């Protein structure tokens, strides 16, 4: 028997005995916690453990709220139109990448990245913005970008219109190795 629950609650185990026991986040909000159980469903009570799963699940104009912790499995791509990827506590969620040139890639129109610590771990780009219009990279701290060879940029914007890059902090951008001749905080192409 499925219960009729009040808005914001659901009957998780489909049992009348336990009632409406699971609180549901506002529509369009997905939660991620690196300490969560692997079978989470993205709700506030049972967040996803994997940020990639959350980014694949988020719908247009949705939010992905990332709890404090370390997320080392990037690169991460914000491809959904209007998505907001936000750290629940500014600077306390750290994004890192194992492969690729960048840690975060922003491709969805009006996508927004906000409040993260981004550890470049020897990558050449912290955030690569490739969206057509209206994207934002706001209030992040980018460190550890050193990539060997080629230009190094904390934030690299390629094309687009009305791109907002504001209130970001950049530290430890280092030029090293043959062919590395340009190190910048923000590179606009």
């Amino acid at each position: 028997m499925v219960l009729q629950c009040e808005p914001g609650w659901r009957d998780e185990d489909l049992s009348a005995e336990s009632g409406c026991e699971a609180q549901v986040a506002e529509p369009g909000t997905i939660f991620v916690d690196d300490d969560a159980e692997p079978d989470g469903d993205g709700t506030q009570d049972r967040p996803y453990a994997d940020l990639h799963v959350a980014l694949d699940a988020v719908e247009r104009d949705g939010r992905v709220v990332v709890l404090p912790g370390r997320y080392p499995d990037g690169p991460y791509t914000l491809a959904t139109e209007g998505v907001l990827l936000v750290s629940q506590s500014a600077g306390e969620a750290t994004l890192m990448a194992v492969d690729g040139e960048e840690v975060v890639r922003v491709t969805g129109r009006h996508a927004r990245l906000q409040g993260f610590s981004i550890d470049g771990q020897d990558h050449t780009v912290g955030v690569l913005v490739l969206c057509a219009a209206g994207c934002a990279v706001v209030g992040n701290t980018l460190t550890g970008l050193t990539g060997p060879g080629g230009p190094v940029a904390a934030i690299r914007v390629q094309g687009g219109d009305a791109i907002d890059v504001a209130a970001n902090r950049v530290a430890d951008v280092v030029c090293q190795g043959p062919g590395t001749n340009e190190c910048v905080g923000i590179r606009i192409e």
Side-chain angles (χ1 to χ4, degrees), residues 9-21:
W9 292 88
R10 77 164 169 244
D11 184 11
E12 183 78 12
D13 60 3
L14 304 177
S15 166
E17 295 169 359
S18 60
C20 300
E21 72 278 2

Side-chain angles (χ1 to χ4, degrees), residues 52 55 71-79 95-107 113 117-131 137 142-149 151-158 189:
H52 289 288
L55 290 172
Y71 300 85
D73 298 323
Y76 299 103
T77 301
L78 281 67
L95 305 180
M96 297 168 283
V98 290
D99 294 323
E101 179 182 324
E102 67 275 351
V103 178
V104 180
R105 178 180 286 234
V106 181
T107 60
L113 175 71
S117 173
I118 298 172
D119 184 347
Q121 293 188 322
D122 300 329
H123 285 72
T124 57
V125 178
V127 178
L128 177 59
V129 180
L130 298 169
C131 75
V137 178
L142 298 98
T143 62
L145 296 150
T146 59
V152 177
I155 300 170
R156 183 171 160 195
V157 179
Q158 290 182 307
E189 301 174 349

